[in-house]
């Protein structure tokens, strides 16, 4: 199975400051159809996960543009340009290229 | 607006069975792959199973193979997960999710607790 490793696992941030989460895959995530199915989800406390970014860098509708995704091959990054209070929660990367699809362990973001 | 509403989660004894349901609305259900994802209390996310639009393809993760069966009824806009031979380690919040590789919409989850 593809193992996704996220770092850091805990990320205390100052409001208004940037934050970055790394997601590394044990295998390349380019599918035979040419797409890279690396997605990012946010799970706020007590809520279901919601998708922020799909296929590495495409932001979902309604997601603030302070969120951005990048990367290729086995190394991917989610960046928040200026952290806001509503960004508190756990962020997961997820690969949809190789079955079984897998999630990273999650990065808990909270405010310092 | 896409809505996914799960139901059926209860407390069940080890070895027992349960069927989860997911009622979908706000989109053409028959056009989408559908999936189940679970989350053990205080833990991360684990893919469980996925089903193609016409049920011609179904995928399961190893821990549930042979025990869980995913199915759907496109006429009723509903997704199901039949869970047999339940174990303590199946205790989780089970989410219904639209899609296969992209997982763009999630329900609020239904809690399954396996305990004697």
């Amino acid at each position: 199975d593809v193992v996704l490793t996220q770092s850091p696992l805990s990320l205390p941030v100052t409001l208004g400051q940037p934050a970055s989460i790394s997601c590394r895959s044990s295998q390349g995530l380019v599918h035979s159809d040419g797409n890279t199915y690396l997605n990012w989800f946010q799970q706020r406390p007590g809520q279901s996960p919601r998708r922020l970014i799909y296929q590495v860098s495409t932001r979902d509708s309604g997601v603030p543009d302070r969120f951005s995704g990048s990367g290729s091959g086995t190394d991917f990054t989610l960046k928040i340009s200026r952290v806001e209070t509503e960004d508190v929660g756990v962020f997961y990367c997820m690969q949809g290229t190789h079955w079984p699809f897998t999630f990273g362990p999650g990065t808990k973001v909270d405010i310092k | 607006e896409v809505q996914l509403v799960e139901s059926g989660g209860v407390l069940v004894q080890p070895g027992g069975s349960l069927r989860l349901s997911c009622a979908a609305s706000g989109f053409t259900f028959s056009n989408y792959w559908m999936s189940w994802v679970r989350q053990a209390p205080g833990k991360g996310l684990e893919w469980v199973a996925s089903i193609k639009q016409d049920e011609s393809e179904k995928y399961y993760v190893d821990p549930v193979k042979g025990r869980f069966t995913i199915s759907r009824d496109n006429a009723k806009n509903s997704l199901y997960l039949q869970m047999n031979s339940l174990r303590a380690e199946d205790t989780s919040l089970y989410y219904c999710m639209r899609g296969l590789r992209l997982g763009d919409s999630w329900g609020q989850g239904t809690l399954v607790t396996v305990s004697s």
Side-chain angles (χ1 to χ4, degrees), chain A residues 31 33 37 39 41 43 47-51 54-55 60 92 94 96-105, chain B residues 37 39 43-50 59-62 65 93 95 97 100-104 106-109:
Chain A
H31 190 267
D33 65 10
Y37 295 102
N39 311 315
F41 297 85
Q43 187 173 31
Q47 295 187 15
S48 306
R50 72 154 178 159
R51 197 180 66 183
Y54 61 96
Q55 291 181 237
D60 270 277
Y92 296 93
M94 171 244 151
T97 297
H98 304 288
W99 185 260
F101 303 148
T102 48
F103 293 87
Chain B
V37 175
Q39 185 170 35
K43 302 297 184 182
L45 299 164
E46 180 185 30
W47 212 279
V48 175
S50 298
Y59 300 109
Y60 301 92
V61 291
D62 282 350
K65 272 182 190 173
L93 189 60
Y95 293 105
M97 193 185 71
L100 178 63
R101 304 183 187 282
L102 299 176
D104 62 5
W106 298 58
Q108 85 289 345

Side-chain angles (χ1 to χ4, degrees), chain B residues 26-48:
Chain B
F27 64 102
T28 304
F29 181 74
S30 58
N31 286 352
Y32 288 85
W33 279 81
M34 295 295 295
S35 301
W36 288 98
V37 175
R38 67 184 180 182
Q39 185 170 35
K43 302 297 184 182
L45 299 164
E46 180 185 30
W47 212 279
V48 175

Side-chain angles (χ1 to χ4, degrees), chain A residues 23 36 38 40 55-57 68-78:
Chain A
C23 176
T36 300
L38 188 285
W40 289 95
Q55 291 181 237
V56 181
S57 59
S68 64
S70 63
S72 63
T74 60
D75 286 348
F76 303 91
T77 302
L78 176 71

Side-chain angles (χ1 to χ4, degrees), chain B residues 32-109:
Chain B
Y32 288 85
W33 279 81
M34 295 295 295
S35 301
W36 288 98
V37 175
R38 67 184 180 182
Q39 185 170 35
K43 302 297 184 182
L45 299 164
E46 180 185 30
W47 212 279
V48 175
S50 298
I51 186 169
K52 195 174 181 179
Q53 292 90 326
D54 61 359
E55 297 194 274
S56 61
E57 294 180 43
K58 301 180 182 181
Y59 300 109
Y60 301 92
V61 291
D62 282 350
V64 309
K65 272 182 190 173
R67 300 188 299 123
F68 290 10
T69 301
I70 190 172
S71 63
R72 63 193 295 163
D73 185 334
N74 288 339
K76 294 183 177 179
N77 293 332
S78 293
L79 176 72
Y80 305 103
L81 186 68
Q82 178 66 42
M83 309 164 68
N84 298 331
S85 303
L86 283 161
R87 305 166 180 167
E89 55 265 35
D90 295 319
T91 294
S92 286
L93 189 60
Y94 284 75
Y95 293 105
C96 169
M97 193 185 71
R98 186 175 79 167
L100 178 63
R101 304 183 187 282
L102 299 176
D104 62 5
S105 299
W106 298 58
Q108 85 289 345

Side-chain angles (χ1 to χ4, degrees), chain A:
Chain A
D1 296 2
V2 174
V3 176
L4 297 179
T5 303
Q6 289 183 231
S7 62
L9 297 182
S10 178
L11 185 56
V13 293
T14 301
L15 286 174
Q17 293 301 301
S20 180
I21 300 170
S22 169
C23 176
R24 289 191 169 150
S25 173
S26 62
Q27 297 179 34
L29 297 182
V30 180
H31 190 267
S32 57
D33 65 10
N35 294 311
T36 300
Y37 295 102
L38 188 285
N39 311 315
W40 289 95
F41 297 85
Q42 177 192 32
Q43 187 173 31
R44 291 173 172 147
Q47 295 187 15
S48 306
R50 72 154 178 159
R51 197 180 66 183
L52 298 175
I53 303 279
Y54 61 96
Q55 291 181 237
V56 181
S57 59
T58 303
R59 206 166 36 245
D60 270 277
S61 174
V63 173
D65 61 8
R66 63 178 182 275
F67 289 95
S68 64
S70 63
S72 63
T74 60
D75 286 348
F76 303 91
T77 302
L78 176 71
K79 291 184 179 178
I80 310 173
S81 58
R82 297 172 307 280
V83 172
E84 298 191 5
T85 305
E86 65 180 19
D87 299 337
V88 165
V90 181
F91 292 80
Y92 296 93
C93 57
M94 171 244 151
Q95 67 83 19
T97 297
H98 304 288
W99 185 260
F101 303 148
T102 48
F103 293 87
T107 294
K108 186 174 183 179
V109 172
D110 59 14
I111 305 302
K112 280 183 186 175

